Every structure is written in structure tokens, then in C-alpha cells.
Amino acid sequence: MAMTTKKTKLKIAIAGAVLVAAAATGTALAANGSSGGAGAGSGTGSERARVEQNKQKTPSAIKADGPNVFPHSLDFDARSKTFFTGSLKQGKVYAVGRDGKVRTHIDDPELVSAQAVNVDRERDRILVSNVDYGTADRSNKDAPFRIAGVGSYDLATGKQDWCVDLTAIALDGKQHLISDVTVAPDGTVYAVDELTPTVFRIDTEGRASVFLRSDLLQGKLDIPNFLDDVGMAAVEWVKGNQLIIAMADGSLVRVPVQHPEAAQKVKLSAPLASPTAGMRLLKDGSLTAVSSGLLSGKPAAIQRVEPRDGWKEATVTVTDTVKDPVTSDVTAGPSGTTYALSGGLADLLAGKPNDGFTLTPVRTG
């Protein structure tokens, strides 16, 4: 099928956003005891104690010390209590501790820019999408968006299992940007392309094929002075053996894995804010999604998407915001928390340096 040619403008003038640590632990309040009997005063003291206990459990934002990393995606490994994130600038994957310390975990010369990062705990591996905005240390500055792939790496050592070139599978001569990946229970990886309406399928040995091409997945969002027709931004495998794909314009598409030709739009109570950037599957089967304020300059929106009728319909509610507009992903964190990633994408595109990035705890319901 014919696909729209993308227009790339190499002079990018997107204003940067200031990284703001949005949450802090509460300061303990002194509570004066009373020698009187139990009554209204005693109840007030109990309520005060509960409020104080909740404050002490509130996690702080994590200011990571990775200069010029510029991450776009992250995931959390509960066993090692470590976040993993990729670098759009350096093409590496980093381990991030809760203290904000950053260390290199994967340094594969085949990775130009590491965008999507997905920890597959069942198989002790990290999946990474390989992209090229034309701004990385390893970029071909004269031919951006010509790199598109997915690599699998050992979770413990960072050693490459395989790295597949998806442009060789697409064979369409188009520009590509593998924005996100998800893993089905059988280990099959699904990767979505932001610049063509193509979903790729990759088996556990790294053998790739085109899973779906559909007009439903054609991009419709234009980012001034950067890209036109931006499409699929994020993907999650959900119960019922389905893929839920978030489009940058705020719509969702449901794809039955056994019958991808039956893909259809999810009927939403309200569209997600645009551009949608990242998603996380919650334990109850709902999704939490983050929408960047890249175009509006407003705080990024954290939204909860609750499905009905097997994901044919869904209710969308805003549950939180992040002050930094250019917030691009959400992931699980320690003890049932959820963190949003602000990686400084606007600074990267504008050619500005960056001294680190921020993980902000957010509410999902």
C-alpha cells in the first residue's frame, strides 16, 4: 500500500523545558499529646498520624546524574530495584539507581539511538529499539530516520543476544522510527513504527516479519519544524491477546493478535491529550498513559484508560500532571509506585547540552 513521504526539517527550533522535581517527602510534624480522655481530640490526633504516615511514604523525585543521556523511555526491574533507560544521544542503555546514580549497562556499537526500553523479566533480557533522529553521536547526520531495529540484551550482563534491522524487513525505502516495543506471554516482540503504519513481529530468536500494515495506523499529527504525519507512539500487549496501540494524535487502536486484519479504533470517552508519548499496563488491566506538552508548553498529562467490552471501549480520566511539558514515558517503580520520565528531548533536538534527567512519581488513579 502507498505510504505518505515524511518531511524532515533538520533545523529544529523547539523550545526546551525546565526539569522540575515535582514531589518531595513530607517533613515530620510534632504532635502534642493530651492527658485528657478519649474524644474528639484523640480522633484528630489519629487522623494527623495517618496523614503524617502517608507523607512519609510519598516517594521523592529522582534527579539522575546522566549528562547528555537524553532518555525517551524507561522500565523498572523489581528484582534488582533498578530503572533501565536508553540514550538518544549516546546510543547506550543505562542502569539508574533510586539514588540517581547512572551507570552504563549496554554499549553496543550497533545502537545509534536507544529509544524504547523494555525489561522482559520472564526471559532475563532487555529489549531496545534502535532509531536515528540525526542528532546522536553515531548518527548519519545527512540521512536521519534510516535506522530502525530492535535488539535483545542479557538483563544481567548487557551482552547482545541479537539485533535485527527492520528496514531490511520493510523494504519500502521510507523513513522509520521504532517508537515502542511490547512482549507477549510467549516471548514474541511487537514493535511499532511512528513514521509508517507498520507493526513488526519478532520471535524469540530475532526473526522478524511485518505483522500488520493498516490505514488505521497512518500518522496524522504534525510537529512543526520537525516531522509530519507522526503516528504510533506506544504499544502494550493486554489480556485477550490484543495489542493496544496509542497514536500520537490521542486515539487508541485495538489489534487482535490472532486476527490483525480486524484492528479497529477503541471508542474513548475522551481522546488522550496529544501528543501521546508512553504507556504502562496496570495490574487491574487498565493503562496509564502520558501525553507530552511538547506542542502546547503545558504540563504533561498522566491519564488512566479503563477498558470496557474487551477494549472495544474505554474511559479516559486525568490522574496527575508533570510540570515538565516534555515528559515521554511512565513505568512501574518500587513498592507499587509509578514514575514518569522527563528526559530533555526538546534540548536534544535544539542542540543544547543536558546535565541529567528526572523521574517523577505520579498518581495513576
Side-chain angles (χ1 to χ4, degrees), residues 74-84 117-127 155 183 280 331-333:
L74 80 165
D75 204 356
F76 181 70
D77 176 38
R79 284 178 295 186
S80 64
K81 298 180 180 179
T82 302
F83 294 95
F84 290 94
V117 175
N118 186 304
V119 177
D120 181 4
R121 297 160 190 85
E122 293 298 318
R123 294 158 199 84
D124 292 322
R125 62 178 177 168
I126 301 176
L127 298 159
L155 178 57
V183 186
R280 177 202 165 195
T331 187

Side-chain angles (χ1 to χ4, degrees), residues 33-281:
S34 172
S35 58
S42 175
T44 301
S46 298
E47 179 63 26
R48 191 174 293 165
R50 283 194 294 270
V51 171
E52 179 54 34
Q53 185 179 34
N54 288 335
K55 283 185 177 181
Q56 290 175 346
K57 289 181 179 179
T58 302
S60 298
I62 299 171
K63 182 65 172 71
D65 63 0
N68 293 323
V69 171
F70 296 106
H72 190 281
S73 171
L74 80 165
D75 204 356
F76 181 70
D77 176 38
R79 284 178 295 186
S80 64
K81 298 180 180 179
T82 302
F83 294 95
F84 290 94
T85 192
S87 171
L88 293 179
K89 176 67 173 173
Q90 299 156 352
K92 301 176 183 179
V93 173
Y94 294 89
V96 183
R98 288 179 291 174
D99 58 0
K101 299 298 182 183
V102 176
R103 61 177 177 81
T104 301
H105 187 67
I106 298 170
D107 186 2
D108 180 358
E110 289 191 57
L111 293 179
V112 176
S113 283
Q115 177 147 325
V117 175
N118 186 304
V119 177
D120 181 4
R121 297 160 190 85
E122 293 298 318
R123 294 158 199 84
D124 292 322
R125 62 178 177 168
I126 301 176
L127 298 159
V128 183
S129 76
N130 191 16
V131 305
D132 186 1
Y133 287 84
T135 56
D137 296 340
R138 298 168 178 166
S139 285
N140 181 346
K141 305 297 192 294
D142 297 324
F145 304 108
R146 297 295 176 179
I147 298 293
V150 174
S152 173
Y153 300 87
D154 185 271
L155 178 57
T157 67
K159 182 180 178 181
Q160 185 196 110
D161 302 316
W162 45 259
C163 190
V164 61
D165 176 10
L166 296 178
T167 62
I169 305 301
L171 288 176
D172 57 9
K174 304 294 185 181
Q175 294 179 337
H176 295 273
L177 176 62
I178 305 303
S179 56
D180 199 15
V181 298
T182 191
V183 186
D186 65 359
T188 302
V189 176
Y190 296 91
V192 295
D193 186 355
E194 199 163 83
L195 300 184
T196 76
T198 310
V199 181
F200 297 92
R201 175 166 48 195
I202 310 167
D203 70 14
T204 54
E205 302 301 317
R207 293 182 292 257
S209 60
V210 172
F211 172 68
L212 175 65
R213 284 192 175 108
S214 172
D215 289 343
L216 278 176
L217 305 175
Q218 179 62 54
K220 298 179 180 178
L221 179 73
D222 293 344
I223 300 178
N225 302 311
F226 184 37
L227 281 174
D228 293 343
D229 302 327
V230 177
M232 293 179 281
V235 60
E236 286 285 351
W237 186 95
V238 300
K239 185 178 179 180
N241 200 18
Q242 303 180 96
L243 303 180
I244 300 299
I245 298 172
M247 305 296 291
D249 66 3
S251 62
L252 294 182
V253 176
R254 177 179 67 90
V255 182
V257 169
Q258 296 301 320
H259 298 284
E261 72 281 357
Q264 60 182 227
K265 282 195 173 184
V266 179
K267 184 178 179 181
L268 301 176
S269 63
L272 295 164
S274 178
T276 309
M279 294 193 300
R280 177 202 165 195
L281 182 64

Side-chain angles (χ1 to χ4, degrees), residues 331-346:
T331 187
S335 304
T337 57
T338 297
Y339 280 80
L341 169 67
S342 303
L345 177 62

